[in-house]
mmCIF file of all heavy atoms in Angstrom:
data_model
loop_
_atom_site.group_PDB
_atom_site.id
_atom_site.type_symbol
_atom_site.label_atom_id
_atom_site.label_comp_id
_atom_site.label_asym_id
_atom_site.label_seq_id
_atom_site.Cartn_x
_atom_site.Cartn_y
_atom_site.Cartn_z
ATOM 1 N N PHE I 613 -4.174 -23.897 -24.582
ATOM 2 C CA PHE I 613 -3.501 -23.276 -25.702
ATOM 3 C C PHE I 613 -4.482 -23.124 -26.899
ATOM 4 O O PHE I 613 -4.240 -22.264 -27.776
ATOM 5 C CB PHE I 613 -2.207 -23.970 -25.999
ATOM 6 C CG PHE I 613 -2.374 -25.320 -26.703
ATOM 7 C CD1 PHE I 613 -2.274 -25.444 -28.069
ATOM 8 C CD2 PHE I 613 -2.701 -26.478 -26.002
ATOM 9 C CE1 PHE I 613 -2.405 -26.662 -28.782
ATOM 10 C CE2 PHE I 613 -2.829 -27.730 -26.593
ATOM 11 C CZ PHE I 613 -2.740 -27.749 -27.957
ATOM 12 N N PHE I 614 -5.464 -23.985 -27.037
ATOM 13 C CA PHE I 614 -6.401 -23.956 -28.220
ATOM 14 C C PHE I 614 -7.135 -22.539 -28.212
ATOM 15 O O PHE I 614 -7.274 -21.989 -29.247
ATOM 16 C CB PHE I 614 -7.317 -25.091 -28.139
ATOM 17 C CG PHE I 614 -6.749 -26.311 -28.641
ATOM 18 C CD1 PHE I 614 -6.682 -27.507 -27.866
ATOM 19 C CD2 PHE I 614 -6.360 -26.489 -30.071
ATOM 20 C CE1 PHE I 614 -6.201 -28.657 -28.342
ATOM 21 C CE2 PHE I 614 -5.822 -27.640 -30.494
ATOM 22 C CZ PHE I 614 -5.783 -28.764 -29.672
ATOM 23 N N THR I 615 -7.661 -22.176 -27.100
ATOM 24 C CA THR I 615 -8.498 -20.969 -27.004
ATOM 25 C C THR I 615 -7.763 -19.805 -26.613
ATOM 26 O O THR I 615 -8.262 -18.641 -26.629
ATOM 27 C CB THR I 615 -9.740 -21.283 -26.065
ATOM 28 O OG1 THR I 615 -9.279 -21.647 -24.755
ATOM 29 C CG2 THR I 615 -10.549 -22.433 -26.648
ATOM 30 N N ALA I 616 -6.550 -19.899 -26.041
ATOM 31 C CA ALA I 616 -5.848 -18.752 -25.493
ATOM 32 C C ALA I 616 -5.403 -17.824 -26.518
ATOM 33 O O ALA I 616 -5.010 -18.296 -27.648
ATOM 34 C CB ALA I 616 -4.604 -19.260 -24.706
ATOM 35 N N SER I 617 -5.525 -16.482 -26.278
ATOM 36 C CA SER I 617 -5.052 -15.439 -27.222
ATOM 37 C C SER I 617 -3.556 -15.150 -26.914
ATOM 38 O O SER I 617 -3.203 -15.001 -25.685
ATOM 39 C CB SER I 617 -5.870 -14.264 -27.112
ATOM 40 O OG SER I 617 -5.261 -13.132 -27.779
ATOM 41 N N PRO I 618 -2.727 -15.009 -27.885
ATOM 42 C CA PRO I 618 -1.332 -14.665 -27.515
ATOM 43 C C PRO I 618 -1.232 -13.313 -26.823
ATOM 44 O O PRO I 618 -0.295 -13.046 -26.039
ATOM 45 C CB PRO I 618 -0.700 -14.675 -28.985
ATOM 46 C CG PRO I 618 -1.796 -14.521 -29.984
ATOM 47 C CD PRO I 618 -2.869 -15.208 -29.375
ATOM 48 N N ASP I 619 -2.190 -12.430 -27.154
ATOM 49 C CA ASP I 619 -2.171 -11.074 -26.486
ATOM 50 C C ASP I 619 -2.363 -11.216 -24.933
ATOM 51 O O ASP I 619 -1.980 -10.204 -24.227
ATOM 52 C CB ASP I 619 -3.232 -10.211 -27.060
ATOM 53 C CG ASP I 619 -2.843 -9.765 -28.512
ATOM 54 O OD1 ASP I 619 -1.702 -9.819 -28.947
ATOM 55 O OD2 ASP I 619 -3.864 -9.622 -29.283
ATOM 56 N N ARG I 620 -2.998 -12.299 -24.516
ATOM 57 C CA ARG I 620 -3.264 -12.443 -23.135
ATOM 58 C C ARG I 620 -1.920 -12.526 -22.282
ATOM 59 O O ARG I 620 -1.924 -12.117 -21.126
ATOM 60 C CB ARG I 620 -4.094 -13.744 -22.929
ATOM 61 C CG ARG I 620 -4.294 -14.112 -21.452
ATOM 62 C CD ARG I 620 -5.043 -15.436 -21.435
ATOM 63 N NE ARG I 620 -5.249 -15.898 -20.047
ATOM 64 C CZ ARG I 620 -5.834 -17.039 -19.726
ATOM 65 N NH1 ARG I 620 -6.311 -17.846 -20.672
ATOM 66 N NH2 ARG I 620 -5.989 -17.417 -18.423
ATOM 67 N N TYR I 621 -0.852 -12.989 -22.918
ATOM 68 C CA TYR I 621 0.381 -13.153 -22.348
ATOM 69 C C TYR I 621 1.492 -12.127 -22.702
ATOM 70 O O TYR I 621 2.588 -12.244 -22.227
ATOM 71 C CB TYR I 621 0.958 -14.573 -22.508
ATOM 72 C CG TYR I 621 -0.043 -15.670 -22.178
ATOM 73 C CD1 TYR I 621 -0.720 -16.289 -23.250
ATOM 74 C CD2 TYR I 621 -0.289 -16.030 -20.916
ATOM 75 C CE1 TYR I 621 -1.628 -17.357 -22.930
ATOM 76 C CE2 TYR I 621 -1.202 -17.007 -20.624
ATOM 77 C CZ TYR I 621 -1.818 -17.772 -21.628
ATOM 78 O OH TYR I 621 -2.808 -18.722 -21.334
ATOM 79 N N ALA I 622 1.090 -11.184 -23.571
ATOM 80 C CA ALA I 622 2.132 -10.416 -24.138
ATOM 81 C C ALA I 622 2.136 -8.927 -23.522
ATOM 82 O O ALA I 622 2.752 -8.050 -24.168
ATOM 83 C CB ALA I 622 1.828 -10.301 -25.655
ATOM 84 N N ALA I 623 1.653 -8.758 -22.382
ATOM 85 C CA ALA I 623 1.647 -7.386 -21.771
ATOM 86 C C ALA I 623 3.110 -7.096 -21.359
ATOM 87 O O ALA I 623 3.807 -7.840 -20.679
ATOM 88 C CB ALA I 623 0.831 -7.425 -20.564
ATOM 89 N N LEU I 624 3.555 -5.850 -21.806
ATOM 90 C CA LEU I 624 4.950 -5.509 -21.553
ATOM 91 C C LEU I 624 5.071 -4.929 -20.024
ATOM 92 O O LEU I 624 6.129 -5.082 -19.494
ATOM 93 C CB LEU I 624 5.381 -4.439 -22.569
ATOM 94 C CG LEU I 624 5.361 -4.817 -23.914
ATOM 95 C CD1 LEU I 624 5.783 -3.764 -24.909
ATOM 96 C CD2 LEU I 624 6.225 -6.097 -24.184
ATOM 97 N N PHE I 625 3.976 -4.352 -19.572
ATOM 98 C CA PHE I 625 3.961 -3.822 -18.255
ATOM 99 C C PHE I 625 2.789 -4.383 -17.556
ATOM 100 O O PHE I 625 1.676 -4.430 -18.009
ATOM 101 C CB PHE I 625 3.928 -2.225 -18.194
ATOM 102 C CG PHE I 625 5.157 -1.584 -18.735
ATOM 103 C CD1 PHE I 625 5.324 -1.220 -20.070
ATOM 104 C CD2 PHE I 625 6.237 -1.372 -17.857
ATOM 105 C CE1 PHE I 625 6.366 -0.694 -20.524
ATOM 106 C CE2 PHE I 625 7.447 -0.804 -18.434
ATOM 107 C CZ PHE I 625 7.419 -0.425 -19.756
ATOM 108 N N ASP I 626 3.053 -4.992 -16.365
ATOM 109 C CA ASP I 626 1.936 -5.674 -15.644
ATOM 110 C C ASP I 626 1.979 -5.306 -14.199
ATOM 111 O O ASP I 626 2.744 -4.390 -13.650
ATOM 112 C CB ASP I 626 2.015 -7.174 -15.825
ATOM 113 C CG ASP I 626 3.349 -7.741 -15.477
ATOM 114 O OD1 ASP I 626 4.044 -7.142 -14.655
ATOM 115 O OD2 ASP I 626 3.725 -8.728 -16.075
ATOM 116 N N SER I 627 1.172 -5.927 -13.401
ATOM 117 C CA SER I 627 1.089 -5.616 -11.934
ATOM 118 C C SER I 627 2.354 -5.911 -11.260
ATOM 119 O O SER I 627 2.632 -5.295 -10.161
ATOM 120 C CB SER I 627 -0.043 -6.479 -11.372
ATOM 121 O OG SER I 627 0.253 -7.903 -11.469
ATOM 122 N N ARG I 628 3.228 -6.710 -11.763
ATOM 123 C CA ARG I 628 4.478 -6.943 -11.038
ATOM 124 C C ARG I 628 5.379 -5.800 -11.056
ATOM 125 O O ARG I 628 6.025 -5.464 -10.010
ATOM 126 C CB ARG I 628 5.258 -8.162 -11.671
ATOM 127 C CG ARG I 628 4.421 -9.427 -11.748
ATOM 128 C CD ARG I 628 5.103 -10.520 -12.483
ATOM 129 N NE ARG I 628 6.275 -10.985 -11.732
ATOM 130 C CZ ARG I 628 6.237 -11.849 -10.749
ATOM 131 N NH1 ARG I 628 5.112 -12.359 -10.338
ATOM 132 N NH2 ARG I 628 7.251 -12.238 -10.117
ATOM 133 N N GLN I 629 5.418 -5.001 -12.136
ATOM 134 C CA GLN I 629 6.195 -3.800 -12.172
ATOM 135 C C GLN I 629 5.611 -2.727 -11.205
ATOM 136 O O GLN I 629 6.270 -2.040 -10.483
ATOM 137 C CB GLN I 629 6.195 -3.152 -13.554
ATOM 138 C CG GLN I 629 7.254 -3.857 -14.450
ATOM 139 C CD GLN I 629 6.718 -5.032 -15.200
ATOM 140 O OE1 GLN I 629 5.655 -5.548 -14.872
ATOM 141 N NE2 GLN I 629 7.276 -5.401 -16.234
ATOM 142 N N LEU I 630 4.274 -2.703 -11.089
ATOM 143 C CA LEU I 630 3.594 -1.752 -10.204
ATOM 144 C C LEU I 630 3.922 -2.118 -8.765
ATOM 145 O O LEU I 630 4.117 -1.296 -7.928
ATOM 146 C CB LEU I 630 2.118 -1.736 -10.490
ATOM 147 C CG LEU I 630 1.617 -1.229 -11.766
ATOM 148 C CD1 LEU I 630 0.102 -1.312 -11.924
ATOM 149 C CD2 LEU I 630 2.110 0.253 -12.080
ATOM 150 N N VAL I 631 3.926 -3.356 -8.468
ATOM 151 C CA VAL I 631 4.227 -3.841 -7.111
ATOM 152 C C VAL I 631 5.576 -3.454 -6.709
ATOM 153 O O VAL I 631 5.777 -3.009 -5.527
ATOM 154 C CB VAL I 631 3.985 -5.387 -6.994
ATOM 155 C CG1 VAL I 631 4.585 -5.947 -5.728
ATOM 156 C CG2 VAL I 631 2.489 -5.756 -7.133
ATOM 157 N N ILE I 632 6.552 -3.698 -7.530
ATOM 158 C CA ILE I 632 7.949 -3.377 -7.201
ATOM 159 C C ILE I 632 8.114 -1.947 -6.984
ATOM 160 O O ILE I 632 8.897 -1.470 -6.062
ATOM 161 C CB ILE I 632 8.920 -4.021 -8.117
ATOM 162 C CG1 ILE I 632 10.334 -4.112 -7.490
ATOM 163 C CG2 ILE I 632 9.026 -3.233 -9.457
ATOM 164 C CD1 ILE I 632 11.291 -4.984 -8.162
ATOM 165 N N HIS I 633 7.547 -1.118 -7.802
ATOM 166 C CA HIS I 633 7.627 0.364 -7.537
ATOM 167 C C HIS I 633 6.965 0.813 -6.324
ATOM 168 O O HIS I 633 7.595 1.559 -5.484
ATOM 169 C CB HIS I 633 6.903 1.041 -8.752
ATOM 170 C CG HIS I 633 7.684 1.159 -9.950
ATOM 171 N ND1 HIS I 633 7.708 0.225 -10.927
ATOM 172 C CD2 HIS I 633 8.569 2.122 -10.374
ATOM 173 C CE1 HIS I 633 8.554 0.573 -11.912
ATOM 174 N NE2 HIS I 633 9.085 1.771 -11.634
ATOM 175 N N PHE I 634 5.749 0.273 -6.036
ATOM 176 C CA PHE I 634 5.091 0.596 -4.822
ATOM 177 C C PHE I 634 5.863 0.248 -3.587
ATOM 178 O O PHE I 634 5.913 0.953 -2.640
ATOM 179 C CB PHE I 634 3.648 -0.068 -4.801
ATOM 180 C CG PHE I 634 2.881 0.128 -3.551
ATOM 181 C CD1 PHE I 634 2.189 1.372 -3.357
ATOM 182 C CD2 PHE I 634 2.782 -0.760 -2.541
ATOM 183 C CE1 PHE I 634 1.419 1.537 -2.211
ATOM 184 C CE2 PHE I 634 2.039 -0.604 -1.487
ATOM 185 C CZ PHE I 634 1.329 0.680 -1.237
ATOM 186 N N ALA I 635 6.356 -1.030 -3.599
ATOM 187 C CA ALA I 635 7.021 -1.577 -2.527
ATOM 188 C C ALA I 635 8.412 -0.770 -2.285
ATOM 189 O O ALA I 635 8.759 -0.627 -1.098
ATOM 190 C CB ALA I 635 7.402 -3.072 -2.624
ATOM 191 N N VAL I 636 9.097 -0.482 -3.270
ATOM 192 C CA VAL I 636 10.333 0.340 -3.137
ATOM 193 C C VAL I 636 10.062 1.710 -2.474
ATOM 194 O O VAL I 636 10.709 2.100 -1.548
ATOM 195 C CB VAL I 636 10.988 0.469 -4.454
ATOM 196 C CG1 VAL I 636 12.171 1.493 -4.387
ATOM 197 C CG2 VAL I 636 11.575 -0.882 -4.909
ATOM 198 N N VAL I 637 9.100 2.412 -3.031
ATOM 199 C CA VAL I 637 8.781 3.805 -2.490
ATOM 200 C C VAL I 637 8.255 3.708 -1.076
ATOM 201 O O VAL I 637 8.813 4.406 -0.187
ATOM 202 C CB VAL I 637 7.850 4.458 -3.441
ATOM 203 C CG1 VAL I 637 7.430 5.849 -2.766
ATOM 204 C CG2 VAL I 637 8.440 4.750 -4.754
ATOM 205 N N LEU I 638 7.239 2.939 -0.799
ATOM 206 C CA LEU I 638 6.584 2.885 0.468
ATOM 207 C C LEU I 638 7.612 2.205 1.412
ATOM 208 O O LEU I 638 7.703 2.587 2.594
ATOM 209 C CB LEU I 638 5.299 2.084 0.376
ATOM 210 C CG LEU I 638 4.437 2.156 1.647
ATOM 211 C CD1 LEU I 638 4.114 3.586 2.000
ATOM 212 C CD2 LEU I 638 3.196 1.325 1.512
ATOM 213 N N GLY I 639 8.364 1.223 1.024
ATOM 214 C CA GLY I 639 9.264 0.543 1.913
ATOM 215 C C GLY I 639 10.380 1.523 2.279
ATOM 216 O O GLY I 639 10.784 1.429 3.452
ATOM 217 N N ALA I 640 10.790 2.303 1.381
ATOM 218 C CA ALA I 640 11.937 3.204 1.717
ATOM 219 C C ALA I 640 11.448 4.259 2.753
ATOM 220 O O ALA I 640 12.171 4.528 3.803
ATOM 221 C CB ALA I 640 12.416 3.968 0.439
ATOM 222 N N PHE I 641 10.290 4.875 2.544
ATOM 223 C CA PHE I 641 9.792 5.855 3.534
ATOM 224 C C PHE I 641 9.517 5.133 4.775
ATOM 225 O O PHE I 641 9.705 5.806 5.871
ATOM 226 C CB PHE I 641 8.596 6.609 2.938
ATOM 227 C CG PHE I 641 8.862 7.596 1.931
ATOM 228 C CD1 PHE I 641 8.545 7.360 0.561
ATOM 229 C CD2 PHE I 641 9.468 8.788 2.263
ATOM 230 C CE1 PHE I 641 8.795 8.259 -0.455
ATOM 231 C CE2 PHE I 641 9.702 9.764 1.299
ATOM 232 C CZ PHE I 641 9.478 9.519 -0.041
ATOM 233 N N GLY I 642 8.900 4.027 4.753
ATOM 234 C CA GLY I 642 8.556 3.312 6.051
ATOM 235 C C GLY I 642 9.788 2.941 6.912
ATOM 236 O O GLY I 642 9.841 3.081 8.016
ATOM 237 N N SER I 643 10.874 2.515 6.224
ATOM 238 C CA SER I 643 12.117 2.123 6.907
ATOM 239 C C SER I 643 12.786 3.377 7.468
ATOM 240 O O SER I 643 13.385 3.288 8.590
ATOM 241 C CB SER I 643 12.994 1.268 6.032
ATOM 242 O OG SER I 643 13.474 2.162 4.923
ATOM 243 N N ILE I 644 12.831 4.401 6.725
ATOM 244 C CA ILE I 644 13.289 5.693 7.263
ATOM 245 C C ILE I 644 12.615 6.117 8.568
ATOM 246 O O ILE I 644 13.238 6.605 9.514
ATOM 247 C CB ILE I 644 13.306 6.833 6.263
ATOM 248 C CG1 ILE I 644 14.274 6.470 5.019
ATOM 249 C CG2 ILE I 644 13.670 8.224 6.851
ATOM 250 C CD1 ILE I 644 14.192 7.489 3.816
ATOM 251 N N TYR I 645 11.292 5.987 8.447
ATOM 252 C CA TYR I 645 10.512 6.364 9.638
ATOM 253 C C TYR I 645 10.830 5.503 10.869
ATOM 254 O O TYR I 645 10.993 5.903 11.957
ATOM 255 C CB TYR I 645 9.000 6.253 9.294
ATOM 256 C CG TYR I 645 8.096 6.593 10.545
ATOM 257 C CD1 TYR I 645 7.810 7.844 10.929
ATOM 258 C CD2 TYR I 645 7.539 5.490 11.307
ATOM 259 C CE1 TYR I 645 7.013 8.101 12.026
ATOM 260 C CE2 TYR I 645 6.783 5.817 12.412
ATOM 261 C CZ TYR I 645 6.430 7.097 12.709
ATOM 262 O OH TYR I 645 5.728 7.375 13.889
ATOM 263 N N LEU I 646 10.952 4.227 10.571
ATOM 264 C CA LEU I 646 11.260 3.256 11.685
ATOM 265 C C LEU I 646 12.644 3.576 12.277
ATOM 266 O O LEU I 646 12.797 3.547 13.518
ATOM 267 C CB LEU I 646 11.303 1.859 11.115
ATOM 268 C CG LEU I 646 9.943 1.198 10.845
ATOM 269 C CD1 LEU I 646 10.122 -0.208 10.196
ATOM 270 C CD2 LEU I 646 9.061 1.107 11.982
#
């Protein structure tokens, strides 16, 4: 916490949002195909 920048943790959109979008879209098309 001494050297950490607050901006390091303050991202409003991160890889987790991208992951859930990718998984929903690709998962939906993949399940329909199956």
